[in-house]
């Protein structure tokens, strides 16, 4: 018999749910707010960085804007791999566990779970593709007992937890 994704007799994760004992998965609302906070931080850092790049390197405006989506992707990877949390997640008490219950995601885990952000690099339709991917992530988080989106499962079972 299992309860809430756990085998109460042995305290082990129920393989059906992919959860680990004692972990409270983070819900969609807190995750969305944390992501929004991170986007604001990444946008500010990125704007300053790309403005400086344009001034110092004297690049045309359109060239200095191109790496924006890649910068956001690298922002999330750098924080998740180094500490398991981005500033937005830390602010809301969230943490990303890596695949196989690792205390934080590996470089591969984080790169894969955030890869959908790179859809913005596709000219003309990238924003629409990103939006569809984000809606699919929200739907799969909401419908998963372990609160894992398709991007978490694609990354080997990463999981955002509420600390």
């Amino acid at each position: 018999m299992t309860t809430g994704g756990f085998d109460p007799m042995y305290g082990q994760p129920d393989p059906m749910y992919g959860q680990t004992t004692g972990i409270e998965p983070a819900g969609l609302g807190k995750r969305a707010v944390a992501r929004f906070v991170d986007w604001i931080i990444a946008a500010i850092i990125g704007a300053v960085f790309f403005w400086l790049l344009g001034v110092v390197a004297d690049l045309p405006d359109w060239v200095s804007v191109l790496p924006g989506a890649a910068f956001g992707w690298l922002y999330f990877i750098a924080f998740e791999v180094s500490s398991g949390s981005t500033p937005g997640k830390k602010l809301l008490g969230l943490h990303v566990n890596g695949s196989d219950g690792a205390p934080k995601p590996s470089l591969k885990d984080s790169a894969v779970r955030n890869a959908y952000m790179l859809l913005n690099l596709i000219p003309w339709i990238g924003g629409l593709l990103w939006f569809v991917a984000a809606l699919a992530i929200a739907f799969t988080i909401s419908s998963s007992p372990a609160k894992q989106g398709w991007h978490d499962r694609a990354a080997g079972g990463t999981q955002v937890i509420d600390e």
Side-chain angles (χ1 to χ4, degrees):
M1 177 176 150
T2 61
T3 306
F6 302 104
D7 180 345
M9 183 176 287
Y10 299 105
Q12 297 296 314
D14 184 333
M16 180 177 161
Y17 295 108
Q19 282 183 268
T20 308
T21 304
I23 290 178
E24 179 67 31
L28 179 60
K30 271 183 115 171
R31 290 176 70 166
V33 171
R35 182 65 66 150
F36 183 72
V37 168
D38 284 320
W39 283 339
I40 292 170
I41 295 168
I44 291 168
I45 295 169
V48 170
F49 176 74
F50 294 118
W51 176 77
L52 289 173
L53 181 65
V55 169
V56 172
D58 196 28
L59 297 173
D61 290 340
W62 67 272
V63 173
S64 63
V65 171
L66 286 178
F71 176 78
W73 181 65
L74 291 172
Y75 167 92
F76 282 92
I77 292 171
F79 282 109
E80 287 180 0
V81 170
S82 65
S83 69
S85 294
T86 59
K89 285 182 181 76
K90 278 190 192 307
L91 182 68
L92 281 128
L94 304 177
H95 181 84
V96 182
N97 282 347
S99 58
D100 298 323
K104 57 186 178 181
S106 66
L107 180 60
K108 179 184 174 192
D109 290 345
S110 187
V112 170
R113 83 180 293 277
N114 290 294
Y116 77 95
M117 295 173 66
L118 296 175
L119 291 170
N120 278 314
L121 292 172
I122 300 171
W124 299 294
I125 62 165
L128 177 61
L129 293 174
W130 172 87
F131 183 71
V132 169
L135 286 178
I137 288 169
F139 177 77
T140 53
I141 289 170
S142 294
S143 62
S144 164
K147 302 299 180 208
Q148 291 172 299
W150 66 263
H151 67 310
D152 291 312
R153 289 191 297 273
T158 59
Q159 187 175 34
V160 180
I161 60 168
D162 203 337
E163 294 188 308

